[in-house]
Structure formats: structure tokens, C-alpha cells
Amino acid sequence: MAEHHVVIHQTEEGVTRDLLAWRRRTAAWMPAMVVLAILAVAGLVALISLLLSGPAPYSKWGYPVATLAILLGVGQGGPIIVFITRLAKGFWGIPIRRAAELLAVTGFVSAPLYLLLLAQMPEWYNPARNQWRASIWFHWPWAPGLWDAIFILLLAFTGIALLYFSAIPDWAAARAAGDRGFFANRARWFVGTQKQWFILNMGFVLLGAFYVMIYVYVHVFLTADMAEAMVPGWASSVFPAYHAISGFQSGLSMVLIIAGALMRYGGLRDYISREQFWGASKILLATALLYFYLTWAEFLLPWYGRQPGEIQYLSLVLFG
């Protein structure tokens, strides 16, 4: 059966007009913003109460760590789809790129939360027993706190930089249409020459590659230092890769949910069509298959290894 996709054509003037009209409708979203702000304050109060009660027992930090893992996946996994479509020249992804890039603002929450959780981790060296806890660092200086902190801050900074530079053409178009706001004035140097577009696109590719690299590192450090190192007998080289893939999969899924909401309720049917969902679903299928393989491999090795620590790990994580 042949597939039929809709190709949407818009003039530059029409796109600019719709962009400015969308900005003027932001007041309609204020009730939702107020509700989300209240929930954010409630979460912050709960986190402060945990902090004031001291680090022990360490099990109480399981939910904040799980929340951090979700934020890194659902939120900061989204911008990766932008890099993929730009690198592979997947023009089908252009209408959903901004929705994916906006998820980078999750770094404003995940980075401070990561730093707070690093401060609550138990010491790596026990002077009474002259013993180190198992880790991936091999007594590396200032590990894991310093290096984990550097990478989570780099991830947040790179994501915000991607969002900032990708919005420059929009701000320039808004300025050309008469907008004199703060961000529109910051983009007055961009006039859309071929050289400027070339430099901007090359910057997107380089920043995107750097973002993907740091994203994988952050998932490796998160899973190794806040999960495996805390559970005796859990020594898996598969789990970090599984966690990174599942993070990207959940980020792509969130992008599709946002795109569907924008198409149905945001008045963007002229820009988002079935084409975007067809293209992204193929990537989502590939990550789902890889997710299944890594999940099976993670379970398979300790099941047949049957070491005492592995049996305890299976009982705690899968069957306990």
C-alpha cells in the first residue's frame, strides 16, 4: 500500500505572521503556568524538607534520583532528535524541531537536582575499614562529585545554547516585522545571508554532536554512581547503555506527544502533519527494539551467572 504524506507550503510572510500571532496568544496559557508553578513550589518544599532531615537513611533519596532519571530522559533526551534530523538532512523533522529544542530547559531543574543529590551520597572511602566502595572511578581524584557535576552542567549549558542559537532566526523575523523586544534586539545582526545560515547550521551540528556525547556520559555516571555503586553485586556494563537508549526513547516520545498537542490544540495544523509522525515513529521503533534487547541482556547475564551478589541484585531489583 502506498503511503501518502502531506507537503505543507508556507510563505515567509505567512510564517512570520503566524509566529507573532502565536506570541500574542501566550496569555491564554497563564492558568496552566500558575498551576505548574504551584506544583514546582510544592516539589521544592518537599525536597528542602528531605535535605533538612539529613542524608540518612539513603533509601529516601530513591524517588528524587528516579525523578532525575526521568527528567534526563523525557526532557533532555528531546534535543537529540534535532541533531539526528539535521545531521541526516531529514527535512521532515523541521516542524517539530522547536518543540524538541524547548525541552532543553529541563536542564534548569535537572542540573541543580543532580548537584544536590551528589552532596547526599555516602562517602566512597571508609577509614575504619580502610576500604573503598565499588565504583567506575578507580580512586580518580575528586571523583565522583567533581566530574559528575562538570558533565551535568555542561549538558545543561549545551542544551540552552542549542535553544538560544536556534531561536535567532525567529527573533530576527520578529524584529523585521516590527517587534522590538529584548530577544528581538539581540538578533538584529542576523539578516539571513547564505554565509550566516551556513555558519549557524554548522554550529547546530557541532553543538548537537557535543550534546549527544555529554548526554551519554551523564547517563553512564548517573547509573554507575547513583544506582550500581549503591547495590552490592550489581556490576553491569549493559545498564548504562540501556538507560541512555531508554532516555532517548522517552525524549522522542515526549516530542511526539507535544507535537500532537500543538497540532490538535495549538493551531499548528498548517505546519505539523502526519509526515513528522511517520518519520519519528521509525526511529522510535528502532529504539524500542534496542530497548528490548538491552533489557533482556541485562537480565540474562546475572540469571545464568548465579553469583551470590547477582542473586541478591535480581531479588532486590526485579523480584523483591
Side-chain angles (χ1 to χ4, degrees), residues 23 171-172 174-176 179-189:
R23 288 189 59 203
W171 294 331
R175 178 177 174 80
D179 190 348
R180 293 296 181 268
F182 175 80
F183 291 107
N185 288 328
R186 302 282 79 75
R188 59 179 177 269
W189 58 271

Side-chain angles (χ1 to χ4, degrees), residues 233 302-303 305-317 319:
W303 178 260
R306 294 284 175 166
Q307 298 297 317
E310 293 175 336
I311 296 298
Q312 293 176 6
Y313 150 71
L314 289 175
S315 176
L316 173 67
V317 177
F319 307 116

Side-chain angles (χ1 to χ4, degrees), residues 73-74 215 219 239 241-251 287 291 294:
V74 175
Y215 181 81
H219 274 276
F239 185 65
Y242 150 82
H243 205 275
I245 290 297
S246 64
F248 170 62
Q249 181 188 25
S250 58
T287 56
Y291 170 84
L294 291 174

Side-chain angles (χ1 to χ4, degrees), residues 14-94:
V15 172
T16 302
R17 182 179 62 253
D18 292 345
L19 173 64
L20 295 178
W22 176 263
R23 288 189 59 203
R24 299 186 186 101
R25 290 198 297 266
T26 53
W29 298 94
M30 286 306 296
M33 297 298 293
V34 171
V35 173
L36 292 175
I38 293 174
L39 292 175
V41 171
L44 182 61
V45 171
L47 194 60
I48 292 175
S49 65
L50 280 177
L51 184 62
L52 294 177
S53 63
Y58 293 109
S59 58
K60 70 179 181 180
W61 297 102
Y63 286 106
V65 172
T67 301
L68 173 63
I70 293 173
L71 289 174
L72 286 173
V74 175
Q76 294 186 265
I80 298 179
I81 188 64
V82 182
F83 168 72
I84 291 175
T85 57
R86 281 199 171 107
L87 186 65
K89 296 184 179 180
F91 298 109
W92 58 266
I94 291 177

